[in-house]
Amino acid sequence: MNNFRFYNPCEIYFGKEQEKNAGKLCAKYGHKVLMVYGKNSIKKNGVYDTVISSFKEENIEFIELNGVKPNPEMDLVYKGIEICKNENIDFVLAVGGGSVIDCAKAIATGALYDGDAWDFYLRKRKPEKALPVGTILTVVGAGSEMSNSNVITKGNLKRDFDNEIIIPKFSILNPELTYTVSPFQTACGSFDAISHLLERYFTPTESTDVTDRMIEGLVQTLMIYTPLAMKHPDCYEYRAQIMWAATLAQNGLMNTGRDGDWACHKIEHELSGEFDIAHGLGLAMIYPSWLIYVAKENMPRFRQFGRRILGVDVMEEDDKTIECIVDAFVDFEKKIGLDYNISSLEMDDEKCKELAIRTCWNSDTKGKFRKLTSDDIYRILKNAKTFE
Amino acid sequence: MNNFRFYNPCEIYFGKEQEKNAGKLCAKYGHKVLMVYGKNSIKKNGVYDTVISSFKEENIEFIELNGVKPNPEMDLVYKGIEICKNENIDFVLAVGGGSVIDCAKAIATGALYDGDAWDFYLRKRKPEKALPVGTILTVVGAGSEMSNSNVITKGNLKRDFDNEIIIPKFSILNPELTYTVSPFQTACGSFDAISHLLERYFTPTESTDVTDRMIEGLVQTLMIYTPLAMKHPDCYEYRAQIMWAATLAQNGLMNTGRDGDWACHKIEHELSGEFDIAHGLGLAMIYPSWLIYVAKENMPRFRQFGRRILGVDVMEEDDKTIECIVDAFVDFEKKIGLDYNISSLEMDDEKCKELAIRTCWNSDTKGKFRKLTSDDIYRILKNAKTFE
């Protein structure tokens, strides 16, 4: 186990009607709020009205910034930063899913920085302060509601940074607010959360059993309740299991004492930066190919993944075992309708090469379970193209 | 799943040599520290010297309060409170196990209260503020290093309170500092941690699978690594698994979305308040009898406990199933040497009755999985007396 520091002061309000507390919670930090959201869905399901009423009760002034799209773009972040600076905003409230929250985090850091906020994503500067951020979660998966990370797209570049200062002060998690999320988006969100867990599960660190076992429990929860929630979208309890599991997947706890891998995420960022597909879908396209490519780095761990998470406990030789385990994983992808072939993106050989090289934009290799060169990544994308 | 709020801002520094940071961490909160510890063991293993050096580097003044014993007593708490008040202490650092940390928390709340600090334990008053507390953990089990709770003894009364204001600001967890903990104390500590998890596992709340699975992972971790650490006391990795699992058992996360039971803890407090035995041992004496008494409240949950945690997956009828599962649990107690019979305490029938009544000192029943009257508790103690 590695030495580690763990600190996550985000206050979670989980359950029915918790969004009524929004105004009271914001008022602990400020009285002029930038409220960031996506489309008008929050007006349809009543969250918008609830939040606005709660603002009024606390005499909170607010300005709205809407129109955040999946794979949120830097242009909107710049717009938000300008509002914050001109209007003396003192709190940023995100109402939405990971894209909205990431956008809010980007705005909150940029608002207290004099240069170009894209510097943070290009690793030119490290952010030192941020406006406080709060969230009301309406789409599950990214885990941004309790995490120190955010991802923003500029042109075809999708870039991220991690920093403790962007951990939300509070997050409101009401499973009811996710009833209207479509089956496909539900699947994509859960797959994203599962991948957050697997990125950590496939670690080069030894002696990590205590976190291994928690990760296994969370992945199993997501694998069991995601198809159920897709079938019964307004079942509170199914949505609740998924919501809390996805938040815990990304709050830092599942990373304690170990290095994560994160190659698949980095590859996928290039994929969805280029093709503007759902992040969870992109991950589902890449994962089986990646699993096959890296399994032999640590067969005991790979067998543990098969045995403890997927229930595939075979005594076959390595190649056959890998096949059985990856088959079971793909079966799950099929079950939630994410067994798309990457070739549906009309990605030719040149594009595979280009994305592989772009993945390694700031280092020679990506991933820690197995360190992948751009040539390895090219092969993974190539194999993903033909994978069935 | 119940609505819940989760908030735990304790900063964890886990791993080798982390105690060197003690001075720097204390200095964030104050410059006059009360350092609370137990016996001289922290002088033998070098922690004492390391901490004192780190204080000097930060120009921290300190006063020592030592002599904390297992089942820490109010008398010493009063002494600590007096020192804090007279010497203008602004930070309390606990170096030790749960007893030392609980004592430090009690001092920290009492120091900012004008009345008798025992009021908090008798539910006469709710503490509203406390000096900041930090910890360096040297005995694993109680989980006080990241919890909102503490337990203090006055006479033969062992009482507790929970409050967010006593969550430590930071806790330093170095598994190396636990190498010298004896096999018996290691077993008692782990059993305490396991019981913290089982108190939550046996819940009346429905649809709690996500936390169920994390609890299962932590209990399994403790059941696997405790006998190994008893056999190889200076194995870093075994100690590390236990240390982190026991901390997570009690930091509030395993309680999210559910009610816990806590009857066994309440009964045990009366037992160790009376007989001054190790808390973990007292729990091990009570648990099998309690399990048998309450199992039928929810047989699917009891079967899940057997199947997922103990690997006992039988299709027998209820009584036989309960017997198989409790047998497997007692086998684990035997493996770690905690299969003492409660009759070794020379507890007669009258004493069973007295402790049962005393357990229900502030309410008619205890426990939530099954609500137990003092008559039920009498029977559990009586059965525990004869249990083999």
Side-chain angles (χ1 to χ4, degrees):
Chain A
M1 202 190 281
N2 298 342
N3 277 15
F4 66 85
R5 172 171 174 273
F6 174 72
Y7 175 62
N8 193 316
C10 177
E11 221 178 331
I12 295 291
Y13 287 82
F14 191 104
K16 292 174 182 170
E17 303 195 347
Q18 297 279 16
E19 62 276 15
K20 288 184 177 169
N21 297 316
K24 215 179 296 170
L25 291 168
C26 291
K28 285 167 70 176
Y29 303 95
H31 274 82
K32 190 149 186 195
V33 172
L34 178 68
M35 178 174 166
V36 183
Y37 59 98
K39 289 175 294 181
N40 282 328
S41 58
I42 66 162
K43 292 190 177 165
K44 282 182 207 151
N45 66 13
V47 191
Y48 179 87
D49 289 338
T50 308
V51 173
I52 301 303
S53 308
S54 78
F55 281 167
K56 285 184 182 152
E57 278 171 31
E58 301 289 331
N59 294 316
I60 289 173
E61 273 188 78
F62 65 95
I63 295 178
E64 297 179 33
L65 178 69
N66 64 15
V68 182
K69 289 179 193 148
N71 303 320
E73 303 210 351
M74 202 58 203
D75 284 348
L76 198 69
V77 172
Y78 289 137
K79 200 172 153 189
I81 291 171
E82 213 185 311
I83 298 173
C84 287
K85 287 181 175 175
N86 293 339
E87 304 283 344
N88 293 316
I89 295 291
D90 50 20
F91 191 82
V92 184
L93 178 68
V95 186
S99 300
V100 172
I101 300 171
D102 283 5
C103 189
K105 288 174 170 180
I107 293 168
T109 36
L112 299 184
Y113 177 61
D114 287 332
D116 179 354
W118 187 244
D119 292 351
F120 304 141
Y121 301 87
L122 296 180
R123 307 281 184 274
K124 284 187 189 171
R125 286 289 289 268
K126 213 180 147 186
E128 278 161 14
K129 47 190 178 175
L131 290 176
V133 173
T135 89
I136 300 176
L137 190 65
T138 64
V139 187
V140 165
S144 190
E145 64 276 11
M146 206 180 175
S147 84
N148 66 352
S149 59
N150 78 126
V151 188
I152 297 292
T153 298
K154 189 175 185 180
N156 62 3
L157 295 181
K158 196 168 177 180
R159 296 287 176 260
D160 59 7
F161 74 78
D162 295 354
N163 197 307
E164 200 164 282
I165 59 171
I166 57 170
I167 296 175
K169 299 297 174 196
F170 66 81
S171 281
I172 290 172
L173 278 60
N174 176 356
E176 294 173 315
L177 303 184
T178 66
Y179 288 175
T180 51
V181 176
S182 73
F184 174 72
Q185 285 302 336
T186 300
C188 286
S190 285
F191 199 89
D192 189 17
I194 288 171
S195 76
H196 292 153
L197 293 160
L198 296 184
E199 298 280 17
R200 289 163 170 128
Y201 197 71
F202 289 101
T203 174
T205 315
E206 285 178 10
S207 298
T208 55
D209 208 21
V210 55
T211 26
D212 281 2
R213 287 178 188 273
M214 287 193 293
I215 291 172
E216 289 154 7
L218 294 179
V219 175
Q220 285 185 308
T221 301
L222 290 161
M223 288 182 72
I224 291 166
Y225 293 98
T226 300
L228 289 168
M230 290 167 71
K231 207 169 169 181
H232 308 281
D234 53 2
C235 172
Y236 182 86
E237 299 298 353
Y238 299 160
R239 294 287 191 181
Q241 307 300 323
I242 296 172
M243 194 171 220
W244 193 216
T247 299
L248 294 175
Q250 189 69 335
N251 79 342
L253 196 58
M254 300 305 146
N255 214 31
T256 49
R258 65 209 295 146
D259 287 319
D261 183 76
W262 298 103
C264 284
H265 258 76
K266 299 298 178 188
I267 300 171
E268 198 292 322
H269 284 177
E270 301 310 324
L271 203 63
S272 58
E274 181 73 23
F275 295 100
D276 201 22
I277 54 172
H279 176 53
L281 175 60
L283 287 163
M285 287 173 171
I286 296 162
Y287 249 96
S289 174
W290 178 82
L291 285 169
I292 291 172
Y293 202 83
V294 305
K296 286 185 183 168
E297 280 301 302
N298 185 341
M299 276 307 291
R301 177 162 287 276
F302 199 78
R303 285 177 185 271
Q304 178 181 300
F305 163 64
R307 186 175 67 251
R308 292 200 197 157
I309 293 181
L310 302 169
V312 180
D313 194 6
V314 293
M315 294 282 277
E316 307 274 358
E317 47 81 28
D318 289 355
D319 285 319
K320 184 79 187 151
T321 300
I322 295 169
E323 193 186 323
C324 294
I325 291 172
V326 176
D327 273 358
F329 192 72
V330 171
D331 282 346
F332 168 69
E333 292 192 355
K334 283 183 186 155
K335 194 169 178 181
I336 60 169
L338 291 191
D339 54 324
Y340 285 71
N341 196 304
I342 204 171
S343 59
S344 63
L345 300 178
E346 296 183 12
M347 185 162 69
D348 60 18
D349 202 60
E350 275 311 301
K351 190 57 83 181
C352 284
K353 267 185 200 152
E354 187 192 325
L355 295 188
I357 289 166
R358 217 194 278 162
T359 306
C360 293
W361 68 283
N362 63 346
S363 58
D364 290 344
T365 62
K366 287 287 166 182
K368 291 196 171 176
F369 184 66
R370 175 169 169 180
K371 288 191 164 78
L372 303 172
T373 63
S374 61
D375 190 55
D376 293 319
I377 294 169
Y378 163 72
R379 282 165 211 271
I380 287 168
L381 284 167
K382 195 84 177 146
N383 294 345
K385 230 165 113 37
T386 56
F387 197 82
E388 304 204 30
Chain B
M1 201 190 282
N2 297 343
N3 277 15
F4 65 85
R5 172 170 175 273
F6 174 73
Y7 175 61
N8 193 317
C10 177
E11 219 178 333
I12 296 291
Y13 288 82
F14 190 103
K16 292 176 183 170
E17 302 194 349
Q18 298 278 18
E19 62 276 17
K20 287 183 177 170
N21 297 316
K24 216 180 296 172
L25 291 168
C26 291
K28 286 166 70 177
Y29 303 95
H31 273 83
K32 190 151 184 193
V33 172
L34 179 69
M35 179 173 165
V36 183
Y37 59 98
K39 288 175 295 181
N40 282 326
S41 57
I42 66 161
K43 293 190 176 165
K44 281 183 208 149
N45 64 15
V47 191
Y48 179 86
D49 289 337
T50 307
V51 173
I52 301 304
S53 306
S54 78
F55 281 167
K56 285 185 181 151
E57 278 170 30
E58 303 288 331
N59 294 316
I60 290 173
E61 272 188 80
F62 64 97
I63 293 177
E64 298 179 33
L65 178 70
N66 63 17
V68 183
K69 289 181 195 149
N71 303 321
E73 303 211 352
M74 203 58 202
D75 283 346
L76 199 67
V77 173
Y78 290 136
K79 199 172 153 188
I81 292 170
E82 212 186 313
I83 297 174
C84 288
K85 288 182 172 173
N86 293 339
E87 303 284 342
N88 293 315
I89 294 291
D90 49 22
F91 192 83
V92 184
L93 178 69
V95 186
S99 301
V100 172
I101 300 171
D102 283 5
C103 188
K105 288 174 169 179
I107 292 169
T109 35
L112 300 184
Y113 178 61
D114 286 335
D116 180 352
W118 187 244
D119 292 350
F120 304 139
Y121 302 86
L122 296 179
R123 307 281 183 273
K124 286 187 188 170
R125 286 289 287 268
K126 213 181 147 186
E128 279 161 14
K129 47 192 176 171
L131 291 175
V133 173
T135 90
I136 300 176
L137 190 64
T138 63
V139 187
V140 166
S144 189
E145 63 276 10
M146 205 179 175
S147 84
N148 64 352
S149 60
N150 78 125
V151 188
I152 298 291
T153 298
K154 188 174 184 178
N156 62 3
L157 296 181
K158 197 170 177 179
R159 296 287 176 260
D160 58 8
F161 74 79
D162 294 354
N163 197 305
E164 201 165 279
I165 59 171
I166 57 170
I167 295 174
K169 299 297 175 194
F170 67 82
S171 280
I172 291 171
L173 278 60
N174 176 357
E176 294 173 314
L177 303 184
T178 66
Y179 288 175
T180 51
V181 176
S182 73
F184 175 73
Q185 284 302 335
T186 300
C188 287
S190 286
F191 199 90
D192 189 17
I194 288 170
S195 75
H196 292 153
L197 293 160
L198 295 185
E199 298 281 17
R200 288 160 171 130
Y201 197 72
F202 288 102
T203 173
T205 315
E206 284 178 13
S207 298
T208 55
D209 209 21
V210 54
T211 27
D212 280 2
R213 287 178 189 272
M214 287 194 293
I215 292 172
E216 289 155 7
L218 294 179
V219 175
Q220 285 185 308
T221 301
L222 290 160
M223 289 183 70
I224 291 166
Y225 292 98
T226 300
L228 288 169
M230 290 167 72
K231 207 169 168 182
H232 307 281
D234 54 1
C235 172
Y236 182 86
E237 300 297 353
Y238 299 160
R239 293 289 191 180
Q241 307 301 322
I242 297 171
M243 194 173 221
W244 192 216
T247 299
L248 294 175
Q250 189 69 335
N251 79 342
L253 196 58
M254 300 305 145
N255 213 32
T256 51
R258 65 209 295 146
D259 286 319
D261 183 77
W262 297 103
C264 283
H265 258 75
K266 300 297 180 190
I267 301 171
E268 197 294 323
H269 284 175
E270 300 310 324
L271 203 63
S272 58
E274 181 74 24
F275 295 101
D276 202 21
I277 53 171
H279 176 51
L281 175 59
L283 288 164
M285 286 173 171
I286 296 162
Y287 250 95
S289 174
W290 178 83
L291 285 169
I292 291 172
Y293 201 83
V294 304
K296 285 185 182 167
E297 281 299 304
N298 186 340
M299 275 308 288
R301 177 161 288 277
F302 199 77
R303 285 178 185 271
Q304 177 181 300
F305 164 63
R307 186 174 66 252
R308 292 199 196 158
I309 293 182
L310 301 169
V312 179
D313 193 6
V314 293
M315 294 282 278
E316 307 274 358
E317 48 80 28
D318 288 355
D319 284 320
K320 185 79 188 152
T321 300
I322 294 168
E323 193 186 326
C324 292
I325 292 172
V326 175
D327 273 357
F329 192 73
V330 172
D331 282 345
F332 168 69
E333 292 192 354
K334 282 183 187 157
K335 196 169 176 181
I336 61 168
L338 290 191
D339 54 323
Y340 286 69
N341 196 302
I342 204 169
S343 60
S344 63
L345 300 178
E346 296 183 10
M347 185 162 68
D348 60 20
D349 203 61
E350 274 311 300
K351 190 58 81 181
C352 284
K353 267 185 201 149
E354 185 191 326
L355 294 188
I357 290 165
R358 215 193 281 164
T359 305
C360 294
W361 67 284
N362 62 346
S363 58
D364 290 343
T365 62
K366 288 288 165 182
K368 291 197 170 177
F369 183 69
R370 175 168 169 181
K371 289 191 163 81
L372 303 171
T373 62
S374 62
D375 191 54
D376 294 318
I377 294 168
Y378 163 72
R379 282 164 212 271
I380 287 169
L381 283 167
K382 195 85 176 145
N383 295 344
K385 232 166 113 30
T386 55
F387 197 82
E388 303 204 30

